[in-house]
Amino acid sequence: MSTVLVLNGPNLGRLGSREPDVYGSANLDDLRELLVASARDGVTIDLRQTDDEAELIQWLYEAVDERMPVILNPAAFTHYSYALRDAAALVTKAGLLLIEVHISNPHARETFRHTSVVSAIATGVIAGLGFDSYRLALDFVTT
């Protein structure tokens, strides 16, 4: 059995009530249900969310130590957290897959959202497809 670590950064715990015009009306429990239903046999989804940068970094270390692929929505940390970027780089440098995902399309939003410090070290980036961004990432990391 393999585990996919699905990590979500700040404010994503408010999905469903935070800017539904941008992020939709579904919440993290809905995302978990979608991913569990979409997962191949033998794949476990470990979905987590934190508003704490240090905790998110520790989870990336755990992915390296436990040899788990990562689906990462860094949320606001996307645009400025070099500490998170460096921890994410440990994942890909260890030969593990790390897919950066975004529910909305950052490039269709405010200018400050156009920059990702994570994208350059990620295996790939999927954005703007709602929760399907996560589902597509899951398909990729489990094939």
Side-chain angles (χ1 to χ4, degrees):
M1 180 173 295
S2 64
T3 299
V4 176
L5 201 51
V6 182
L7 303 179
N8 294 278
N11 300 313
L12 292 172
R14 295 293 183 162
L15 285 176
S17 62
R18 176 181 175 238
E19 297 183 79
D21 56 315
V22 174
Y23 300 106
S25 59
N27 61 33
L28 283 179
D29 288 334
D30 298 323
L31 176 59
R32 181 178 286 105
E33 288 177 21
L34 171 72
L35 293 177
V36 167
S38 300
R40 300 177 194 281
D41 288 340
V43 173
T44 299
I45 303 300
D46 185 350
L47 188 144
R48 305 176 189 180
Q49 187 277 325
T50 185
D51 297 325
D52 185 320
E53 183 179 26
E55 185 170 36
L56 195 54
I57 289 167
Q58 289 298 319
W59 291 342
L60 290 168
Y61 295 165
E62 180 183 343
V64 172
D65 294 344
E66 299 296 323
R67 308 289 306 157
M68 292 183 283
V70 176
I71 298 170
L72 173 65
N73 185 337
F77 295 143
T78 301
H79 316 296
Y80 67 88
S81 178
Y82 295 105
L84 183 67
R85 178 247 178 247
D86 290 349
L90 293 173
V91 176
T92 55
K93 286 180 180 177
L96 300 166
L97 297 172
L98 183 143
I99 307 299
E100 177 185 353
V101 299
H102 298 281
I103 296 167
S104 68
N105 178 355
H107 299 286
R109 299 184 63 199
E110 303 92 342
T111 304
F112 76 89
R113 296 185 194 277
H114 297 181
T115 299
S116 169
V117 299
V118 176
S119 293
I121 56 83
T123 307
V125 180
I126 304 171
L129 302 176
F131 282 180
D132 281 339
S133 295
Y134 291 86
R135 188 184 50 72
L136 291 168
L138 178 62
D139 287 347
F140 183 81
V141 302
T142 58
T143 51

